[in-house]
Amino acid sequence: MDDIALAEVTRGGRIESLHLGRIAVMDDSGRVVQAHGAIDKAVFPRSTVKALLALPLVETGAADRLGLSDAELALACASHGGEPRHAETAAAMLAKAGKTLTCLECGAHWPTYDKAAHALAASGAAPTALHNNCSGKHAGLICLAIDQSLDPAGYIDPGHEAQRQVTDALVMATSVPHNEANRGLDGCSMPTYAIPLSALATGFARFGTGRNFSSGHASAAARLRSAVASEPFMVAGSGRFDTTLMAHFGNRIFCKMGAEGVMVASLPELGLGIAIKTDDGANRAAEVALASLLLGFDEAGWSDSDRAVLTGLSHQVMKNWNGREVGTLRAAGKG
């Protein structure tokens, strides 16, 4: 099946750019609810699966024993912008485990949120691993290792016991293998595994309902969803799609953007999971495609305010440096 047009950019009343990709909507039994494009084709989920990776942190009791807050659990699921609160929260997680940023093996980069990067540069400081958009995920792995009396060094390696536990969680959720045959290396040096887009969507249907999870993992998923709903800023940051969507919808929608145009969502009340992949890796296309898709879920009973938020996210006005409107970013065929 050919991939489909997901999003388009207009200028002067014409379509200037077109983003192609595919969408899988699955229920928690693995049944296809909607298929747009080649949903059995494998993708690297990248950062979309961070909430699944955080399941052992909660299920083992490590989060409770270390006293991790909702903000800290949300950061464990995050691809954040490196704003001060993000970096401070990652440091606080490490402190609860008796560690410092020197234990982080994700590398350092400038905050991806421009204002935070400019402020950091203006202060004369250099970025640290705390500003890495994956620092919360890495801090969560260190917390898991310390709680289990494991040496956290090398926690990013597939053979480390903490890494094996989080990989087992991915297998549980998606029901497909995660091993050396489909392993790649993510930007933060953790493994990432190529799996069918349909399996990724199934995993997030189950993240919402707990099906195929142990009772402990199902409770952990519910707690992580609640933490993210209460602290959506921690998951992404100022002006970001994920934060905007979850700040409005709370527990009704969990969503997570990943690198190279991969997006997932979980709708617990409907028992559905969604996974999107853009062919060109454009995150902006995956975002507007998800918002437009959600608008079509009449069974969700969206209110007028719900629809207004989704409409705004699926049809965005583009302006130039002078603030003049130049075109739109919108779901394909929605002009």
Side-chain angles (χ1 to χ4, degrees), residues 315-331:
H315 195 289
Q316 303 173 26
V317 173
M318 300 180 66
K319 296 182 178 181
N320 65 16
W321 296 110
N322 284 327
R324 299 179 64 185
E325 182 176 338
V326 297
T328 60
L329 167 64
R330 67 194 186 194

Side-chain angles (χ1 to χ4, degrees), residues 71-298:
E72 289 162 342
L73 289 177
L75 195 75
C77 304
S79 295
H80 61 75
E83 296 178 63
R85 191 177 171 216
H86 295 135
E88 291 162 3
T89 302
M93 293 173 70
L94 293 171
K96 289 180 177 180
K99 297 297 179 180
T100 67
L101 68 88
T102 59
C103 284
L104 292 172
E105 299 181 19
C106 52
H109 63 65
W110 287 96
T112 55
Y113 181 57
D114 286 347
K115 290 183 179 179
H118 296 160
L120 188 64
S123 74
T128 72
L130 295 172
H131 297 100
N132 187 302
N133 75 97
C134 295
S135 65
K137 173 181 73 174
H138 284 249
L141 263 289
I142 292 169
C143 286
L144 176 63
I146 291 298
D147 177 75
Q148 298 188 358
S149 301
L150 300 171
D151 182 352
Y155 67 86
I156 60 174
D157 296 329
H160 193 284
E161 174 58 25
Q163 192 65 229
R164 286 201 293 265
Q165 290 182 40
V166 300
T167 304
D168 287 346
L170 295 176
V171 175
M172 174 188 66
T174 62
S175 296
V176 294
H178 287 63
N179 53 42
E180 64 278 1
N182 61 339
R183 184 189 301 141
L185 191 65
D186 213 332
C188 67
S189 294
M190 287 240 315
T192 182
Y193 298 87
I195 63 173
L197 191 70
S198 55
L200 182 60
T202 299
F204 278 91
R206 293 170 175 171
F207 181 70
T209 68
R211 181 168 180 167
N212 212 53
F213 286 18
S214 69
S215 60
H217 284 101
S219 294
R223 183 170 174 189
L224 289 168
R225 295 197 315 271
S226 178
V228 166
S230 66
E231 295 281 357
F233 171 81
M234 303 309 298
V235 178
S238 300
R240 297 276 296 279
F241 179 94
D242 292 356
T243 290
T244 299
L245 191 68
M246 292 190 289
H248 177 82
F249 285 92
N251 272 315
R252 291 179 293 163
I253 298 176
F254 171 89
C255 71
K256 182 70 184 67
M257 190 74 233
E260 297 299 327
V262 188
M263 168 68 83
V264 299
S266 176
L267 283 71
E269 294 174 352
L270 299 182
L272 299 179
I274 300 167
I276 300 172
K277 174 69 173 85
T278 63
D279 290 350
D280 61 0
N283 287 5
R284 66 181 186 178
E287 292 173 349
V288 300
L290 175 61
S292 179
L293 181 71
L294 290 171
L295 269 172
F297 281 76
D298 293 334

Side-chain angles (χ1 to χ4, degrees), residues 2-25:
D2 292 335
D3 287 347
I4 64 167
L6 296 181
E8 57 196 25
V9 179
T10 69
R11 188 180 302 268
R14 300 172 182 268
I15 295 175
E16 183 177 32
S17 298
L18 188 66
H19 298 286
L20 304 179
R22 49 199 186 274
I23 302 174
V25 182

Side-chain angles (χ1 to χ4, degrees), residues 31-56:
R31 181 180 66 90
V32 177
V33 176
Q34 291 186 41
H36 306 281
I39 66 170
D40 291 332
K41 187 176 179 180
V43 302
F44 284 109
R46 305 294 295 274
S47 289
T48 62
V49 294
K50 285 178 176 175
L52 302 181
L53 297 175
L55 287 169

